[in-house]
Amino acid sequence: MLFGIIFSFQPVEAQLREKAKELLTGNKVEQKADTLRRDTASLSVSERMRLDSIRLEELSLQLQQMKLNEIVLVGKLDNANSSFKNDSLRRAAQRKRIDSLRALTPGVPVVVKYDTLFYIYSPRGGTTPHTRAENVQNIIKDIGQDYSFKTDSLYLLDTENLTDIMYGNRVVFSVTDQDALWQNVSRDSLAHSYIPVIAAKITELKKEYSVLQVLKHIGAFILVIILQVLLWRATNYLFRKLRRKITWLSLNKLKSIKIRDYEFLNTHKQGRVLLFFSNLLRYAIILLQLVISVPILFSIFPQTEDLAVEIFGYVINPIKMIVKSIFSYVPNLFVIVVIYYAIKYLIKGVEYIAGEIESEKLKITGFYPDWAQPTFNIIRFLLYVFMIAMIYPYLPGSNSGVFQGISVFVGLIVSLGSSTAIANIIAGLVITYMRPFRIGDRIKLGETEGNVIEKTPFVTRIRTPKNEVVTIPNSFIMSSHTTNYSSSARDYGLIIHSKVTFGYEVPKEEVLDLLINSALATPGVLSKPEPFVLETELHDYYAVYQINAYIKDANKLAQLYSDLHQTIHDKANEAGIELMSPHYYAERDGNPLAMPPEYIKKRKEA
């Protein structure tokens, strides 16, 4: 900027010289006028006065012109001084800003073959410091392969705003005023200090690309390959011995692994597992050798050295990323563990309360003991859902589009395929809190009768008297009627009933006594309340009576009916009363009665 200010004074100085020349020219004109005046001394007085007036007018015009020129020159000098002051202030402000940034802004190093030559702090035009550093690194490497290079081939080309470090017609690096400000030196001094550094590095590169160095690199390349082959052979030899050792162990030393009576792994399977892991270890070691040897091979030659670093980065960068991700994930993992254990112990507390309610040690008005376990299952499910919702943001990759897309896809599949399952779950909840039956109750669902052995959120299982297990969806239970025998038996006593037909010739009192005595003689029938008989139908040839008796154990319903019928049959035979079931016709013309002979004999004897 200072050079620009100095250059701005040059037009002003030139104008001053021009005006001085004009004044000198004016003096010459005046001298000529004096000569002309002497020549015109012989003129008349009127003519001399006319000439003098013309001369006075010319002098006044010249005076005015000089004043105008003076004003213009003064204005330009003021502008030049103001520009110089502004540029000085601007440079001072830039220096102050750079001084404040120097401690916080790291420079971009120019690194060639692991040597840092200098640092670049400022951009140039639209080029960032990083791009400038990469450009000069590539140029120096290219020049280093030029065998005709000499140290005096580098020179400086100074322009108004830049100082270029040149090699022939090629610009190696351009030093700007901003670069000089960052280094606290002048631009020219900074450029001169870079030349020996660049020349020394190019000379060093020339040595690396010499024929002798190439031969050394080839020798090192061959040596590394030989060592790698020897390592492979040694690795394979050691693992062959290891396989033989494993085979010997499986035949002589290893013992079967058993879990109670189950043989989890016999010696043969253990040997196969050990051989598998030995092969896996061998491949891992060979891969590790390749990961180390391949970058070494590429790093031997300068032309492929950058490729070696890149290949090594392919292996190291993922490992670094994984390790870094693990360490950065530790706080989230700690939060997940805290949430998990908090929910876990909360569920244990709810489970303890449910157990107390189920055992009727804790009683809550309006809350039945059989609700305890289903309610606990619902609360546990909700708590687990809440835990998953809290943990989800802390899972790795939860914010990625792929993770969210998979979650949406799984939710869509579940929602499309679980409409029936959800209907069964809702029906199961309704059934639980409606309490139409409990585990162990004797019920009848549609055409199925039996004892409830299991209730799940989806289905209910019933064991029939024939020992058949019938699985019924809960949605079907909600849409059909349910008959619960055990509930009435527990609360009021279940009434079993059966129809029996007798002829009209048998007195009604005898029939009533017969049926009531038969019910009371049946095991399992309650004496209080007493059994009772209803005369339900009157047919042409017989009357229909219904015996009703109370029982408490609905699980023995089939056996109680069988015992009741057998007792009625026996009691009727003992009383000499014919049963008109099944219906049949008999003419009383001396034909025998429809009962066993021994009972007929007893009747005659009576």
Side-chain angles (χ1 to χ4, degrees):
M1 189 63 68
L2 180 60
F3 295 108
I5 295 171
I6 294 173
F7 289 144
S8 65
F9 284 111
Q10 292 178 356
V12 178
E13 185 179 358
Q15 291 178 3
L16 291 174
R17 291 197 187 97
E18 185 178 354
K19 295 302 178 182
K21 289 180 181 179
E22 289 178 359
L23 290 175
L24 293 174
T25 305
N27 291 333
K28 290 180 181 180
V29 172
E30 186 177 356
Q31 291 175 1
K32 290 181 181 180
D34 291 339
T35 305
L36 181 62
R37 191 180 300 112
R38 286 194 299 269
D39 293 338
T40 59
S42 59
L43 296 177
S44 62
V45 175
S46 59
E47 290 177 351
R48 287 198 297 270
M49 291 179 63
R50 183 174 62 82
L51 292 173
D52 291 340
S53 61
I54 292 171
R55 179 61 183 161
L56 287 173
E57 289 179 1
E58 291 177 352
L59 290 174
S60 64
L61 289 174
Q62 290 179 1
L63 182 60
Q64 291 177 2
Q65 184 66 33
M66 292 179 66
K67 289 182 178 179
L68 291 173
N69 291 336
E70 182 183 3
I71 293 172
V72 171
L73 290 173
V74 170
K76 290 184 176 180
L77 287 173
D78 290 340
N79 289 335
N81 290 330
S82 176
S83 177
F84 179 78
K85 290 179 181 178
N86 290 336
D87 289 342
S88 299
L89 293 173
R90 191 179 298 110
R91 289 185 73 243
Q94 288 179 350
R95 185 179 296 278
K96 184 177 180 181
R97 183 170 177 271
I98 288 172
D99 290 339
S100 64
L101 295 175
R102 184 174 284 109
L104 301 175
T105 304
V108 179
V110 177
V111 181
V112 180
K113 296 295 182 181
Y114 309 107
D115 289 338
T116 301
L117 305 184
F118 50 88
Y119 290 86
I120 299 175
Y121 293 90
S122 63
R124 176 174 174 255
T127 306
T128 62
H130 290 276
T131 305
R132 293 180 69 195
E134 291 178 2
N135 291 339
V136 69
Q137 288 168 188
N138 295 330
I139 292 171
I140 291 174
K141 290 178 182 178
D142 292 341
I143 298 174
Q145 300 180 19
D146 186 0
Y147 293 103
S148 63
F149 172 79
K150 295 181 180 179
T151 56
D152 55 0
S153 301
L154 294 174
Y155 63 93
L156 298 179
L157 180 61
D158 197 6
T159 60
E160 180 178 354
N161 297 318
L162 297 172
T163 299
D164 295 327
I165 301 175
M166 305 291 295
Y167 173 70
N169 295 325
R170 190 173 186 179
V171 178
V172 179
F173 183 63
S174 296
V175 182
T176 65
D177 292 329
Q178 291 293 324
D179 295 330
L181 285 175
W182 275 96
Q183 300 291 344
N184 279 329
V185 294
S186 65
R187 190 177 71 194
D188 187 64
S189 300
L190 184 61
H192 277 91
S193 66
Y194 286 165
I195 286 181
V197 176
I198 295 174
K201 191 61 188 178
I202 293 175
T203 303
E204 182 181 342
L205 292 176
K206 280 185 61 179
K207 294 180 180 179
E208 290 187 6
Y209 290 107
S210 64
V211 176
L212 180 60
Q213 290 294 327
V214 171
L215 294 175
K216 290 181 179 179
H217 293 160
I218 293 174
F221 185 85
I222 295 172
L223 179 61
V224 172
I225 291 178
I226 292 172
L227 291 175
Q228 182 60 62
V229 172
L230 293 176
L231 282 174
W232 284 346
R233 290 188 175 182
T235 302
N236 291 328
Y237 172 75
L238 292 175
F239 275 94
R240 281 196 300 269
K241 292 188 66 175
L242 179 60
R243 284 197 295 270
R244 288 195 293 268
K245 185 67 174 178
I246 291 172
T247 304
W248 182 84
L249 287 174
S250 63
L251 295 175
N252 299 285
K253 293 292 184 180
L254 296 179
K255 295 182 179 180
S256 299
I257 299 175
K258 293 184 178 181
I259 301 175
R260 295 184 179 178
D261 296 333
Y262 173 67
E263 188 178 38
F264 181 68
L265 283 177
N266 56 28
T267 56
H268 177 67
K269 291 180 179 180
Q270 290 181 50
R272 291 178 60 185
V273 170
L274 292 176
L275 288 174
F276 170 77
F277 281 108
S278 67
N279 286 330
L280 194 64
L281 180 62
R282 180 170 67 91
Y283 293 141
I285 291 175
I286 292 175
L287 181 61
L288 180 62
Q289 292 173 2
L290 288 175
V291 168
I292 296 173
S293 61
V294 171
I296 291 175
L297 289 173
F298 281 103
S299 64
I300 290 174
F301 296 97
Q303 293 85 350
T304 58
E305 190 173 3
D306 293 337
L307 183 60
V309 175
E310 186 175 355
I311 293 174
F312 192 70
Y314 290 153
V315 179
I316 295 299
N317 290 338
I319 296 175
K320 290 170 61 178
M321 182 184 67
I322 292 172
V323 173
K324 184 178 179 181
S325 300
I326 291 173
F327 279 103
S328 62
Y329 189 70
V330 168
N332 290 346
L333 184 62
F334 177 76
V335 173
I336 290 175
V337 171
V338 170
I339 293 173
Y340 169 75
Y341 278 102
I343 298 297
K344 177 181 178 181
Y345 286 106
L346 181 60
I347 290 173
K348 284 185 176 293
V350 175
E351 184 179 14
Y352 171 76
I353 295 174
E356 294 294 301
I357 294 174
E358 190 175 18
S359 62
E360 299 187 8
K361 294 180 180 178
L362 175 62
K363 295 183 179 181
I364 300 176
T365 304
F367 194 91
Y368 298 96
D370 55 312
W371 286 358
Q373 196 61 34
T375 304
F376 165 69
N377 292 332
I378 295 171
I379 294 175
R380 180 175 59 182
F381 173 76
L382 294 177
L383 287 175
Y384 278 133
V385 170
F386 178 68
M387 180 185 71
I388 293 172
M390 292 182 65
I391 289 176
Y392 178 83
Y394 298 98
L395 295 176
S398 59
N399 296 326
S400 66
V402 176
F403 194 90
Q404 294 172 357
I406 292 174
S407 302
V408 172
F409 177 74
V410 172
L412 180 63
I413 295 299
V414 171
S415 63
L416 292 176
S418 62
S419 56
T420 304
I422 291 174
N424 286 325
I425 291 174
I426 299 300
L429 291 175
V430 174
I431 290 169
T432 297
Y433 291 98
M434 284 177 58
R435 304 179 74 240
F437 51 80
R438 294 187 297 182
I439 299 294
D441 283 359
R442 184 65 171 263
I443 66 172
K444 184 177 182 180
L445 289 172
E447 298 298 326
T448 304
E449 180 179 336
N451 294 89
V452 179
I453 60 174
E454 185 181 9
K455 289 196 306 181
T456 70
F458 297 96
V459 297
T460 298
R461 291 185 173 86
I462 298 175
R463 179 180 284 113
T464 67
K466 304 301 183 184
N467 233 16
E468 302 164 338
V469 177
V470 181
T471 301
I472 302 174
N474 289 332
S475 57
F476 174 79
I477 298 175
M478 287 292 298
S479 60
S480 62
H481 63 277
T482 303
T483 304
N484 191 328
Y485 300 111
S486 299
S487 177
S488 297
R490 283 192 300 268
D491 298 335
Y492 318 107
L494 180 66
I495 298 176
I496 59 173
H497 52 87
S498 184
K499 292 181 179 180
V500 186
T501 59
F502 292 93
Y504 289 110
E505 73 279 5
V506 181
K508 179 179 179 181
E509 291 75 10
E510 292 186 18
V511 172
L512 295 179
D513 291 339
L514 170 67
L515 294 178
I516 291 174
N517 291 331
S518 298
L520 292 174
T522 302
V525 173
L526 301 178
S527 58
K528 297 292 182 179
E530 294 181 355
F532 60 93
V533 179
L534 299 176
E535 190 172 354
T536 58
E537 299 178 37
L538 296 173
H539 289 270
D540 293 339
Y541 305 103
Y542 56 85
V544 179
Y545 298 89
Q546 185 187 72
I547 176 63
N548 296 269
Y550 290 88
I551 65 170
K552 280 292 186 180
D553 191 358
N555 293 331
K556 298 179 179 179
L557 195 59
Q559 183 64 43
L560 287 171
Y561 269 109
S562 176
D563 293 343
L564 177 62
H565 293 156
Q566 185 177 353
T567 305
I568 292 173
H569 194 184
D570 293 340
K571 292 292 184 181
N573 290 332
E574 290 175 0
I577 301 175
E578 287 184 296
L579 290 176
M580 304 302 290
S581 300
H583 307 153
Y584 62 90
Y585 297 96
E587 294 181 2
R588 297 307 179 198
D589 55 357
N591 291 330
L593 297 176
M595 62 178 62
E598 61 270 18
Y599 290 104
I600 296 175
K601 183 178 180 181
K602 290 181 180 179
R603 182 178 178 84
K604 289 180 178 180
E605 292 176 354

